[in-house]
Amino acid sequence: KPKNDETTIAVIEVINGTRIADHQWVERLTSPSTSLDVTVSRPALLVAIWWGDGGLGTTHKAVPNNDFTVIDSLTTDAALIQCVATKSVNAGTYNVTWTSESGEGAQLWLIAVDEPKGGGTPDLGGHVLDWDVQGRGGTLITTPGITTNSSAGTGSTIVVAVAHGILSSLTIPTDSEGNSFTQIGTAHKY
């Protein structure tokens, strides 16, 4: 990334998740902020990501509705603040509304990961949320390592969300195990 850029990386393992069944992105300029709907045809785990847009000096805290559970957040006094929440669901159509204390808007991702075809419930495995502030010297950032659950029998789906301050510096992430990642959807300017 360029020396003057900032980057956030979220990595979420969905144990027994077989594929990303649906995903939606939308930008909302005020709070409360409601995601677009995702639809699943069988049980799935929903992963909701809130990229807040409040500036320095803003109290950053967002709370999701619809029984989503926040699994990680960065609520420091900085420009882009992130929260990740999950919820297990059955077949149907779902969304999530985030309410921030400051009234700030956000980019909202809602990602649905299917259960295995033979049954089983997808559930949350390891996860990390890492942030590299602007001006750290332009070095690459690496999330803390997570141990994935290789004994689950059906494998896992790994969701990696990357936010850059400068869109032109976007690259597909790599990992230490040589896994290849595929971008879903398109990059969004905010």
Side-chain angles (χ1 to χ4, degrees):
K1 69 179 184 63
K3 186 173 186 175
N4 64 342
D5 195 8
E6 59 186 52
T7 304
T8 301
I9 300 174
V11 181
I12 302 107
E13 176 190 17
V14 180
I15 299 170
N16 295 327
T18 55
R19 69 182 182 96
I20 295 177
D22 196 2
H23 60 88
Q24 296 293 331
W25 172 91
V26 68
E27 174 185 3
R28 305 287 189 205
L29 299 179
T30 59
S31 177
S33 304
T34 301
S35 72
L36 297 178
D37 291 343
V38 294
T39 300
V40 293
S41 59
R42 60 179 187 249
L45 185 78
L46 302 182
V47 178
I49 302 172
W50 180 87
W51 303 121
D53 68 1
L56 294 171
T58 303
T59 301
H60 304 285
K61 183 177 180 184
V63 178
N65 72 343
N66 294 341
D67 298 320
F68 276 80
T69 301
V70 173
I71 61 167
D72 212 346
S73 63
L74 290 170
T75 57
T76 58
D77 180 22
L80 288 174
I81 304 305
Q82 297 78 26
C83 297
V84 180
T86 62
K87 177 182 179 179
S88 292
V89 297
N90 291 314
T93 299
Y94 300 91
N95 65 36
V96 60
T97 297
W98 292 85
T99 302
S100 73
E101 289 181 354
S102 65
E104 68 190 280
Q107 291 185 57
L108 306 172
W109 276 100
L110 187 56
I111 304 162
V113 180
D114 270 349
E115 72 168 7
K117 288 189 176 188
T121 303
D123 48 41
L124 186 64
H127 65 275
V128 296
L129 187 58
D130 195 28
W131 176 56
D132 184 23
V133 70
Q134 182 174 335
R136 271 204 191 158
T139 58
L140 294 175
I141 62 173
T142 302
T143 62
I146 63 172
T147 302
T148 57
N149 186 346
S150 59
S151 64
T154 57
S156 297
T157 296
I158 305 293
V159 176
V160 178
V162 180
H164 287 282
I166 301 173
L167 184 59
S168 63
S169 67
L170 179 67
T171 59
I172 303 298
T174 58
D175 73 13
S176 60
E177 298 300 313
N179 294 308
S180 59
F181 292 87
T182 303
Q183 181 174 328
I184 58 172
T186 58
H188 299 279
K189 187 174 180 181
Y190 189 53

PDB file of all heavy atoms in Angstrom, residues 133-153:
ATOM      1  N   VAL A 133      -2.850   2.360  10.663  1.00  0.00           N
ATOM      2  CA  VAL A 133      -3.149   3.784  10.540  1.00  0.00           C
ATOM      3  C   VAL A 133      -2.226   4.443   9.521  1.00  0.00           C
ATOM      4  O   VAL A 133      -1.104   4.007   9.307  1.00  0.00           O
ATOM      5  CB  VAL A 133      -3.044   4.476  11.915  1.00  0.00           C
ATOM      6  CG1 VAL A 133      -1.604   4.545  12.378  1.00  0.00           C
ATOM      7  CG2 VAL A 133      -3.659   5.854  11.897  1.00  0.00           C
ATOM      8  N   GLN A 134      -2.732   5.480   8.907  1.00  0.00           N
ATOM      9  CA  GLN A 134      -1.983   6.251   7.917  1.00  0.00           C
ATOM     10  C   GLN A 134      -0.660   6.743   8.506  1.00  0.00           C
ATOM     11  O   GLN A 134      -0.602   7.163   9.647  1.00  0.00           O
ATOM     12  CB  GLN A 134      -2.833   7.444   7.499  1.00  0.00           C
ATOM     13  CG  GLN A 134      -2.210   8.318   6.452  1.00  0.00           C
ATOM     14  CD  GLN A 134      -3.179   9.386   6.010  1.00  0.00           C
ATOM     15  OE1 GLN A 134      -4.369   9.213   6.124  1.00  0.00           O
ATOM     16  NE2 GLN A 134      -2.660  10.480   5.515  1.00  0.00           N
ATOM     17  N   GLY A 135       0.398   6.658   7.709  1.00  0.00           N
ATOM     18  CA  GLY A 135       1.665   7.224   8.126  1.00  0.00           C
ATOM     19  C   GLY A 135       2.577   6.280   8.889  1.00  0.00           C
ATOM     20  O   GLY A 135       3.555   6.712   9.473  1.00  0.00           O
ATOM     21  N   ARG A 136       2.299   4.977   8.910  1.00  0.00           N
ATOM     22  CA  ARG A 136       3.170   4.046   9.616  1.00  0.00           C
ATOM     23  C   ARG A 136       4.401   3.654   8.806  1.00  0.00           C
ATOM     24  O   ARG A 136       5.090   2.735   9.176  1.00  0.00           O
ATOM     25  CB  ARG A 136       2.404   2.763   9.961  1.00  0.00           C
ATOM     26  CG  ARG A 136       1.713   2.813  11.265  1.00  0.00           C
ATOM     27  CD  ARG A 136       1.517   1.395  11.751  1.00  0.00           C
ATOM     28  NE  ARG A 136       0.634   1.402  12.876  1.00  0.00           N
ATOM     29  CZ  ARG A 136      -0.062   0.377  13.269  1.00  0.00           C
ATOM     30  NH1 ARG A 136      -0.008  -0.755  12.624  1.00  0.00           N
ATOM     31  NH2 ARG A 136      -0.834   0.460  14.321  1.00  0.00           N
ATOM     32  N   GLY A 137       4.639   4.292   7.703  1.00  0.00           N
ATOM     33  CA  GLY A 137       5.825   3.981   6.932  1.00  0.00           C
ATOM     34  C   GLY A 137       5.561   3.161   5.688  1.00  0.00           C
ATOM     35  O   GLY A 137       6.482   2.767   5.003  1.00  0.00           O
ATOM     36  N   GLY A 138       4.311   2.857   5.393  1.00  0.00           N
ATOM     37  CA  GLY A 138       3.983   2.178   4.165  1.00  0.00           C
ATOM     38  C   GLY A 138       4.296   0.702   4.138  1.00  0.00           C
ATOM     39  O   GLY A 138       4.322   0.086   3.081  1.00  0.00           O
ATOM     40  N   THR A 139       4.555   0.086   5.278  1.00  0.00           N
ATOM     41  CA  THR A 139       4.846  -1.347   5.290  1.00  0.00           C
ATOM     42  C   THR A 139       3.547  -2.137   5.177  1.00  0.00           C
ATOM     43  O   THR A 139       2.469  -1.654   5.515  1.00  0.00           O
ATOM     44  CB  THR A 139       5.565  -1.743   6.585  1.00  0.00           C
ATOM     45  OG1 THR A 139       4.738  -1.379   7.702  1.00  0.00           O
ATOM     46  CG2 THR A 139       6.907  -1.052   6.707  1.00  0.00           C
ATOM     47  N   LEU A 140       3.663  -3.364   4.694  1.00  0.00           N
ATOM     48  CA  LEU A 140       2.493  -4.228   4.618  1.00  0.00           C
ATOM     49  C   LEU A 140       2.053  -4.599   6.023  1.00  0.00           C
ATOM     50  O   LEU A 140       2.871  -4.724   6.935  1.00  0.00           O
ATOM     51  CB  LEU A 140       2.814  -5.502   3.833  1.00  0.00           C
ATOM     52  CG  LEU A 140       3.127  -5.307   2.356  1.00  0.00           C
ATOM     53  CD1 LEU A 140       3.537  -6.634   1.742  1.00  0.00           C
ATOM     54  CD2 LEU A 140       1.927  -4.754   1.621  1.00  0.00           C
ATOM     55  N   ILE A 141       0.754  -4.797   6.191  1.00  0.00           N
ATOM     56  CA  ILE A 141       0.274  -5.248   7.490  1.00  0.00           C
ATOM     57  C   ILE A 141      -0.143  -6.703   7.386  1.00  0.00           C
ATOM     58  O   ILE A 141      -0.527  -7.188   6.337  1.00  0.00           O
ATOM     59  CB  ILE A 141      -0.893  -4.386   8.025  1.00  0.00           C
ATOM     60  CG1 ILE A 141      -2.110  -4.465   7.103  1.00  0.00           C
ATOM     61  CG2 ILE A 141      -0.474  -2.958   8.210  1.00  0.00           C
ATOM     62  CD1 ILE A 141      -3.330  -3.783   7.664  1.00  0.00           C
ATOM     63  N   THR A 142      -0.040  -7.395   8.485  1.00  0.00           N
ATOM     64  CA  THR A 142      -0.410  -8.796   8.556  1.00  0.00           C
ATOM     65  C   THR A 142      -1.295  -8.974   9.769  1.00  0.00           C
ATOM     66  O   THR A 142      -0.957  -8.519  10.862  1.00  0.00           O
ATOM     67  CB  THR A 142       0.845  -9.686   8.700  1.00  0.00           C
ATOM     68  OG1 THR A 142       1.693  -9.442   7.588  1.00  0.00           O
ATOM     69  CG2 THR A 142       0.479 -11.153   8.730  1.00  0.00           C
ATOM     70  N   THR A 143      -2.433  -9.625   9.581  1.00  0.00           N
ATOM     71  CA  THR A 143      -3.308  -9.877  10.720  1.00  0.00           C
ATOM     72  C   THR A 143      -2.642 -10.880  11.641  1.00  0.00           C
ATOM     73  O   THR A 143      -1.812 -11.679  11.209  1.00  0.00           O
ATOM     74  CB  THR A 143      -4.667 -10.454  10.278  1.00  0.00           C
ATOM     75  OG1 THR A 143      -4.436 -11.696   9.635  1.00  0.00           O
ATOM     76  CG2 THR A 143      -5.394  -9.509   9.354  1.00  0.00           C
ATOM     77  N   PRO A 144      -2.991 -10.863  12.925  1.00  0.00           N
ATOM     78  CA  PRO A 144      -2.497 -11.921  13.801  1.00  0.00           C
ATOM     79  C   PRO A 144      -2.950 -13.275  13.254  1.00  0.00           C
ATOM     80  O   PRO A 144      -4.012 -13.370  12.642  1.00  0.00           O
ATOM     81  CB  PRO A 144      -3.180 -11.619  15.135  1.00  0.00           C
ATOM     82  CG  PRO A 144      -3.572 -10.180  15.056  1.00  0.00           C
ATOM     83  CD  PRO A 144      -3.835  -9.905  13.604  1.00  0.00           C
ATOM     84  N   GLY A 145      -2.142 -14.294  13.436  1.00  0.00           N
ATOM     85  CA  GLY A 145      -2.492 -15.609  12.921  1.00  0.00           C
ATOM     86  C   GLY A 145      -3.727 -16.183  13.599  1.00  0.00           C
ATOM     87  O   GLY A 145      -3.974 -15.929  14.769  1.00  0.00           O
ATOM     88  N   ILE A 146      -4.534 -16.923  12.840  1.00  0.00           N
ATOM     89  CA  ILE A 146      -5.649 -17.644  13.428  1.00  0.00           C
ATOM     90  C   ILE A 146      -5.477 -19.118  13.118  1.00  0.00           C
ATOM     91  O   ILE A 146      -4.910 -19.491  12.101  1.00  0.00           O
ATOM     92  CB  ILE A 146      -7.033 -17.156  12.929  1.00  0.00           C
ATOM     93  CG1 ILE A 146      -7.192 -17.376  11.413  1.00  0.00           C
ATOM     94  CG2 ILE A 146      -7.269 -15.712  13.280  1.00  0.00           C
ATOM     95  CD1 ILE A 146      -8.594 -17.093  10.906  1.00  0.00           C
ATOM     96  N   THR A 147      -5.922 -19.959  14.025  1.00  0.00           N
ATOM     97  CA  THR A 147      -5.879 -21.392  13.804  1.00  0.00           C
ATOM     98  C   THR A 147      -7.247 -21.816  13.300  1.00  0.00           C
ATOM     99  O   THR A 147      -8.248 -21.672  13.999  1.00  0.00           O
ATOM    100  CB  THR A 147      -5.553 -22.134  15.114  1.00  0.00           C
ATOM    101  OG1 THR A 147      -4.292 -21.645  15.583  1.00  0.00           O
ATOM    102  CG2 THR A 147      -5.483 -23.624  14.894  1.00  0.00           C
ATOM    103  N   THR A 148      -7.303 -22.305  12.074  1.00  0.00           N
ATOM    104  CA  THR A 148      -8.578 -22.739  11.515  1.00  0.00           C
ATOM    105  C   THR A 148      -8.873 -24.158  11.970  1.00  0.00           C
ATOM    106  O   THR A 148      -7.991 -24.889  12.404  1.00  0.00           O
ATOM    107  CB  THR A 148      -8.559 -22.671   9.975  1.00  0.00           C
ATOM    108  OG1 THR A 148      -7.483 -23.465   9.493  1.00  0.00           O
ATOM    109  CG2 THR A 148      -8.399 -21.239   9.504  1.00  0.00           C
ATOM    110  N   ASN A 149     -10.134 -24.531  11.865  1.00  0.00           N
ATOM    111  CA  ASN A 149     -10.582 -25.828  12.360  1.00  0.00           C
ATOM    112  C   ASN A 149     -10.566 -26.846  11.233  1.00  0.00           C
ATOM    113  O   ASN A 149     -11.556 -27.028  10.543  1.00  0.00           O
ATOM    114  CB  ASN A 149     -11.993 -25.680  12.956  1.00  0.00           C
ATOM    115  CG  ASN A 149     -12.458 -26.944  13.624  1.00  0.00           C
ATOM    116  OD1 ASN A 149     -11.887 -28.017  13.445  1.00  0.00           O
ATOM    117  ND2 ASN A 149     -13.504 -26.829  14.407  1.00  0.00           N
ATOM    118  N   SER A 150      -9.442 -27.532  11.066  1.00  0.00           N
ATOM    119  CA  SER A 150      -9.327 -28.512   9.981  1.00  0.00           C
ATOM    120  C   SER A 150      -9.968 -29.847  10.343  1.00  0.00           C
ATOM    121  O   SER A 150     -10.117 -30.715   9.500  1.00  0.00           O
ATOM    122  CB  SER A 150      -7.855 -28.732   9.633  1.00  0.00           C
ATOM    123  OG  SER A 150      -7.155 -29.190  10.779  1.00  0.00           O
ATOM    124  N   SER A 151     -10.382 -30.028  11.586  1.00  0.00           N
ATOM    125  CA  SER A 151     -10.982 -31.300  11.999  1.00  0.00           C
ATOM    126  C   SER A 151     -12.502 -31.284  11.901  1.00  0.00           C
ATOM    127  O   SER A 151     -13.152 -32.247  12.286  1.00  0.00           O
ATOM    128  CB  SER A 151     -10.578 -31.621  13.438  1.00  0.00           C
ATOM    129  OG  SER A 151     -11.109 -30.644  14.316  1.00  0.00           O
ATOM    130  N   ALA A 152     -13.086 -30.233  11.360  1.00  0.00           N
ATOM    131  CA  ALA A 152     -14.546 -30.135  11.291  1.00  0.00           C
ATOM    132  C   ALA A 152     -15.138 -31.133  10.313  1.00  0.00           C
ATOM    133  O   ALA A 152     -16.327 -31.414  10.351  1.00  0.00           O
ATOM    134  CB  ALA A 152     -14.974 -28.720  10.906  1.00  0.00           C
ATOM    135  N   GLY A 153     -14.319 -31.685   9.430  1.00  0.00           N
ATOM    136  CA  GLY A 153     -14.802 -32.708   8.503  1.00  0.00           C
ATOM    137  C   GLY A 153     -15.286 -32.153   7.183  1.00  0.00           C
ATOM    138  O   GLY A 153     -15.179 -32.797   6.165  1.00  0.00           O
TER     139      GLY A 153
END
